[in-house]
Amino acid sequence: MNRSFFAPLALVAALALPTQTGCGGGLRVRQIDAAQEKPANVLLFFRVNAGTDGVPGLQESAFTVKEDDHVVGPGVDRVIVNPDLRGAQATMVLVDLGGRPSAEDLEAMAGAVGALVERIGAGRRVGLYAIDGAEQPLALAPFGASLDALKGAVSRIPSYKTRDPSLDLNGGYISALRTLKQATPPSNGPRIANLVLLARGPDRASRFDLRAVSAELKKMDIDVSRFAVGFGPDAATAKLDTFADSAPVLAPTTDALRDAAVHVAEAIDDRGRSFYLLSYCTVARGGEHKVKLEVSRERPTEKGKPEVQTGSLQYSFRADGFGPGCTPNVPDGWKSEPPPGTVLRTSKEVQLDRARGGSKPSLAGAIPR
């Protein structure tokens, strides 16, 4: 059973039942958390991916919701929102400056980090940290730094003085995970984060092994996406798979390194817009029930022909003691504007929702792994 993201809801932890995540038709629909609350509210927070890329801006027509095989159609009893959570993400950029990097290596790393920061730094929670042989990463620009401060930190990378010529990649990464968790405190909204590693080689300090890194990951109670980019001749020996959710990128040249950093920035941007919240009023008044969420989208293939991608998610809940009086409102902390041009609710539905008012389930706590 997942630890609930919806901690204040009275019935969540006791009544949440196993879930299934589906990705059979090209889309991966991953549950982040779910909850239910009297009088009859059911909430499901999820993310949609195609491969490793987030899928933002899906329209209302892309979703089919079924409870016990009965369709829960769009209307006043069902709301699906696609909040723009790009600004809610905390992103740590961890730069390998260990060993004795050449001037060319330092310039290359600075260029890549600069390109990444330029795209995700404005108005976002970004921290820039360096690792070398020292026991703790060095904060070049801590979380909360302005964009100008981040750019200033990037400009100083070429003149970086290594504190210890070894490389504590594993230990530095463990410390980075802990710092990232601290930078994403509990709130009324989602706790989502990203960790980007730019590495030049393998761990040399041997303070921790890869099993310790994996063990620390299992302790994370926030939703973290991890990216790893290797640069230089020693990067292939660094076993970077442990540090990334998908295959790490090996960049053999300065231009390839910068392009990889730009791609990571774009992936982080899309990720912040690929979260969705389903809130609906169930007619169940007791017992166990199953919700199936189906997602589909049509997109052109390389040959120009349309292709339909699908995915699904199943969730079970209990409705003991449920009754009338439910309104499927969006809880506080989730009312950010969706990306431009995205309309998930009709104006009539919005007006009805505002007119009806009603109780609003609150979201707080930690997103599970």
Side-chain angles (χ1 to χ4, degrees):
M1 183 187 306
N2 286 335
R3 188 171 75 180
S4 176
F5 181 81
F6 308 92
L9 301 185
L11 301 178
V12 176
L15 300 183
L17 298 170
T19 62
Q20 297 180 9
T21 299
C23 56
L27 296 180
R28 176 178 173 83
V29 187
R30 180 194 171 197
Q31 176 184 318
I32 304 301
D33 212 336
Q36 56 278 329
E37 184 186 49
K38 295 178 182 179
N41 295 86
V42 178
L43 301 99
L44 185 61
F45 176 45
F46 59 98
R47 189 171 80 211
V48 182
N49 280 68
T52 58
D53 297 328
V55 180
L58 291 173
Q59 305 296 310
E60 179 75 55
S61 58
F63 301 95
T64 300
V65 181
K66 297 179 181 178
E67 181 181 294
D68 300 331
D69 295 325
H70 297 284
V71 174
V72 181
V76 295
D77 289 326
R78 190 191 96 177
V79 173
I80 298 178
V81 294
N82 175 207
D84 188 342
L85 301 180
R86 287 174 291 182
Q89 299 183 100
T91 299
M92 174 182 281
V93 183
L94 191 62
V95 189
D96 169 8
L97 300 179
R100 301 189 185 280
S102 66
E104 292 76 12
D105 285 349
L106 291 172
E107 288 288 351
M109 298 297 267
V113 174
L116 196 154
V117 165
E118 184 71 32
R119 284 162 174 78
I120 66 173
R124 317 290 173 86
R125 291 183 295 162
V126 180
L128 176 57
Y129 292 75
I131 53 173
D132 50 25
E135 292 191 19
Q136 295 292 329
L138 177 66
L140 303 179
F143 285 99
S146 67
L147 181 57
D148 286 341
L150 286 165
K151 290 181 177 180
V154 171
S155 69
R156 292 189 291 274
I157 289 178
S159 59
Y160 180 81
K161 302 300 182 182
T162 302
R163 297 170 294 168
D164 182 324
S166 182
L167 175 62
D168 190 6
L169 177 60
N170 298 339
Y173 199 84
I174 290 172
S175 296
L177 288 170
R178 295 170 180 172
T179 301
L180 186 59
K181 182 178 177 179
Q182 293 173 357
T184 316
S187 66
N188 288 331
R191 297 179 69 194
I192 55 178
N194 307 286
L195 179 51
V196 183
L197 170 66
L198 302 182
R200 296 170 36 253
D203 183 278
R204 301 295 299 276
S206 298
R207 293 190 179 103
F208 297 90
D209 58 19
L210 293 177
R211 288 175 297 181
V213 175
S214 298
E216 190 66 31
L217 282 169
K218 293 179 180 179
K219 299 177 184 178
M220 297 295 286
D221 57 3
I222 59 177
D223 189 61
V224 182
S225 279
R226 300 176 307 121
F227 307 86
V229 179
F231 173 67
D234 295 330
T237 65
K239 298 180 180 179
L240 295 178
D241 297 81
T242 304
F243 305 96
D245 293 334
S246 58
V249 177
L250 296 180
T253 66
T254 299
D255 288 342
L257 177 62
R258 189 180 187 282
D259 289 344
V262 170
H263 179 76
V264 168
E266 292 171 348
I268 290 173
D269 192 76
D270 281 346
R271 179 177 187 257
R273 298 181 293 130
S274 64
F275 292 90
Y276 297 83
L277 178 68
L278 163 66
S279 175
Y280 79 93
C281 295
T282 177
V283 295
R285 298 298 182 255
E288 180 180 332
H289 301 272
K290 294 182 179 181
V291 179
K292 185 174 184 180
L293 173 69
E294 300 173 338
V295 184
S296 66
R297 70 166 180 173
E298 183 177 291
R299 58 176 301 176
T301 63
E302 293 181 357
K303 297 181 179 180
K305 296 181 179 181
E307 173 191 44
V308 177
Q309 295 181 317
T310 62
S312 64
L313 173 66
Q314 296 188 53
Y315 168 66
S316 297
F317 70 94
R318 296 193 64 85
D320 299 333
F322 280 15
C326 170
T327 300
N329 286 325
V330 179
D332 293 336
W334 298 81
K335 295 180 178 180
S336 59
E337 292 295 324
T342 301
V343 179
L344 293 174
R345 303 172 63 199
T346 65
S347 58
K348 182 178 179 180
E349 289 171 344
V350 173
Q351 292 170 0
L352 285 171
D353 186 47
R354 290 174 177 171
R356 291 175 65 178
S359 61
K360 301 179 180 180
S362 60
L363 297 159
I367 293 177
R369 295 183 299 277

